[in-house]
Amino acid sequence: MGRSPCCDKEGLKKGPWTPEEDQKLLAYIEQHGHGCWRSLPAKAGLQRCGKSCRLRWTNYLRPDIKRGKFSLQEEQTIIQLHALLGNRWSAIATHLPKRTDNEIKNYWNTHLKKRLAKMGIDPVTHKPRSDALGTGGGGGAAGAQHAKAAAHLSHTAQWESARLEAEARLAREARLRALAASASAPPQMPAAAAHRLDSPTSTLSFSESAALASVLQEAHGAAAAAAAAARAAMQPMQAYEEACKEHEQQQWGDHVVDVADAGFAAAGFTGLLLDGSLSQHDLRPAPATTTRDDEADAGLHETEEEKSYWDSIMNLVNSSSLPTTSVAVPAPEPAYPSSASLHTSVAMPALVAYPSSAPLQTPVAMPTVEAYSSSTSLQQTSVIAMPAPEAYSSSASFSTSVAVPVPAPEAYSPAMEFC
DNA sequence: AACGAACCCAACCGCGAGGCC
DNA sequence: GGGCCTCGCGGTTGGGTTCGT
């Protein structure tokens, strides 16, 4: 594999971009698109390497980038997704509209990682540090409780990670179908809107998510019904999720974010680290736009909210008993071109955000799983039977039993049970 | 006011994946 | 099948800014 020379070519400029360079790059891309990045600088009249141009565009000049302070909602999502995905910044950025992976990475390294560390949570494993657990004279019992809670979280991470991969697969398939059908049918989502919401660097864009939702609606009637039943069974979460949707719509200003999009992070992950107290401060009004000055003002008002937020994380860490969720789901049939059958059995804890004291019997629509490439370290006691329609090339380290059957194509078993 | 420390973040570097020839 | 090339990703750096003394 030959490495292409990049900025070491003589005459190519490095370092901070000037406004003139930005203008040239913007003007060129707006007129021609970026095309081949390598040839772009010469065409645009820039003394930069293509790589530098690409970075400047994707991290700074792209019109659909939101800058400024991260909201608490975004912080929550980052922490949750980091617990699930590790340092897969691009994947995390997929679920944070208008945020770049670089920005998220920087924010994590400069803010969130330090805060978690201060709280005695290992920012790598998202588990309580042993030295932090031992304090307070809790003794072995407390340590065991923390370990149990951490194990539950890790287990949840395993399930969620698999779900993320599955959704990415569905999105890709939906996009392919949408492309194939575009000649005969108008898109359900206005192209302009989709364009605004898409992230060029995302593996799962907004339009893909919308397409996914559409496919789920059209082709997965049973699954959709199951999901609706799940939502009904998850009443305690609903108010919070609705609030999140509202919050999201306020945050993204003019961009009306589809529930299947903006609500995704909230619906999918908000339960992981949060408890009831957190849902309260997420109801706060958010400024439509954020400027440096706004940030300073916001900082003055967020002290209590942030305290509550981080307290909630500590609550998670300190929680000792988590209810178990039992999920039985009829799997959707026609959406998968692959003839592989679906039979997934996942033992998972209920999300800690569910205030219900009773175990949940929750049907949940869960798509199948494709090539699984998460780097998340999974160390939980569980049995996951996942379909392997494609090569299963996980780099994840499962310390416990994970069965991945490759069923016969005709043996379609639509029911997924979570026990 | 001056200085050093700490922080922040845009940009760079190097690697791997995948496509093309 | 193998080499070359482009692109994307994650880790790291270094210069600017802010904070503390």
Side-chain angles (χ1 to χ4, degrees):
Chain A
M1 295 267 265
R3 166 94 30 90
S4 58
C6 187
C7 303
D8 52 353
K9 278 186 181 174
E10 287 185 11
L12 291 187
K13 190 181 172 189
K14 295 169 69 174
W17 281 64
T18 65
E20 290 76 20
E21 288 176 311
D22 283 344
Q23 192 56 44
K24 281 184 180 179
L25 182 58
L26 260 177
Y28 181 85
I29 292 180
E30 281 177 359
Q31 192 170 358
H32 305 97
H34 62 72
C36 173
W37 285 111
R38 169 159 274 218
S39 59
L40 182 147
K43 294 176 182 173
L46 290 164
Q47 299 298 312
R48 296 269 182 176
C49 68
K51 194 172 186 175
S52 181
C53 292
R54 179 174 57 82
L55 280 173
R56 183 63 178 173
W57 170 256
T58 57
N59 289 334
Y60 197 86
L61 295 177
R62 236 173 52 199
D64 58 345
I65 287 179
K66 173 189 174 189
R67 311 195 70 79
K69 183 181 173 64
F70 279 69
S71 69
L72 286 175
Q73 175 67 31
E74 288 173 307
E75 288 185 358
Q76 294 157 24
T77 304
I78 292 171
I79 292 172
Q80 292 161 11
L81 286 172
H82 188 271
L84 301 173
L85 303 169
N87 292 356
R88 295 169 64 187
W89 304 116
S90 61
I92 293 173
T94 294
H95 300 283
L96 285 165
K98 304 183 183 183
R99 296 292 190 183
T100 68
D101 53 359
N102 201 42
E103 195 177 11
I104 293 170
K105 178 175 61 182
N106 282 333
Y107 193 70
W108 171 265
N109 287 329
T110 57
H111 294 88
L112 300 180
K113 191 163 78 173
K114 292 175 185 174
R115 274 195 257 178
L116 286 177
K118 273 185 184 175
M119 294 161 57
I121 300 173
D122 189 330
V124 176
T125 64
H126 290 255
K127 294 177 180 176
R129 286 196 175 126
S130 56
D131 53 350
L133 288 175
T135 59
Q145 284 185 350
H146 288 306
K148 185 179 177 184
H152 276 300
L153 177 60
S154 177
H155 192 184
T156 305
Q158 180 176 345
W159 187 88
E160 284 287 352
S161 187
R163 193 174 66 82
L164 275 175
E165 298 289 343
E167 285 175 347
R169 170 201 169 89
L170 277 179
R172 284 193 293 273
E173 292 174 359
R175 183 170 59 175
L176 287 174
R177 276 190 293 277
L179 286 173
S182 61
S184 59
Q188 293 194 351
M189 184 176 184
H195 175 72
R196 280 202 311 272
L197 296 173
D198 271 347
S199 168
T201 58
S202 295
T203 56
L204 179 61
S205 67
F206 267 79
S207 57
E208 285 172 331
S209 295
L212 166 62
S214 173
V215 168
L216 285 174
Q217 273 192 328
E218 293 172 4
H220 300 181
R231 283 191 290 273
M234 295 160 66
Q235 286 296 332
M237 282 291 292
Q238 216 163 27
Y240 172 70
E241 291 171 4
E242 288 298 325
C244 284
K245 290 172 205 164
E246 275 188 33
H247 179 70
E248 292 281 352
Q249 293 196 356
Q250 288 172 349
Q251 282 232 283
W252 314 136
D254 292 334
H255 299 307
V256 177
V257 181
D258 189 276
V259 168
D261 299 331
F264 173 76
F269 307 112
T270 44
L272 277 174
L273 291 172
L274 314 176
D275 62 13
S277 64
L278 184 59
S279 66
Q280 294 302 313
H281 73 243
D282 272 323
L283 297 174
R284 80 193 195 286
T289 58
T290 306
T291 64
R292 294 273 179 181
D293 291 338
D294 292 336
E295 292 165 20
D297 290 338
L300 295 175
H301 296 87
E302 281 184 358
T303 309
E304 284 304 314
E305 291 166 344
E306 288 186 358
K307 181 177 182 301
S308 171
Y309 166 53
W310 291 103
D311 283 347
S312 73
I313 293 181
M314 288 307 293
N315 287 343
L316 161 75
V317 173
N318 294 329
S319 66
S320 58
S321 64
L322 302 171
T324 300
T325 302
S326 180
V327 184
V329 185
E333 190 168 6
Y336 306 100
S338 161
S339 56
S341 69
L342 303 178
H343 189 87
T344 302
S345 176
V346 177
M348 64 173 290
L351 303 181
V352 276
Y354 300 170
S356 166
S357 58
L360 300 175
Q361 296 291 329
T362 309
V364 172
M366 179 178 175
T368 186
V369 178
E370 68 154 323
Y372 186 77
S373 60
S374 170
S375 60
T376 305
S377 178
L378 305 172
Q379 300 176 336
Q380 206 26 242
T381 301
S382 62
V383 176
I384 297 182
M386 285 189 277
E390 299 177 23
Y392 187 88
S393 60
S394 172
S395 60
S397 61
F398 292 83
S399 65
T400 54
S401 58
V402 176
V404 185
V406 183
E410 61 276 10
Y412 189 87
S413 171
M416 289 186 289
E417 292 184 359
F418 299 80
C419 46

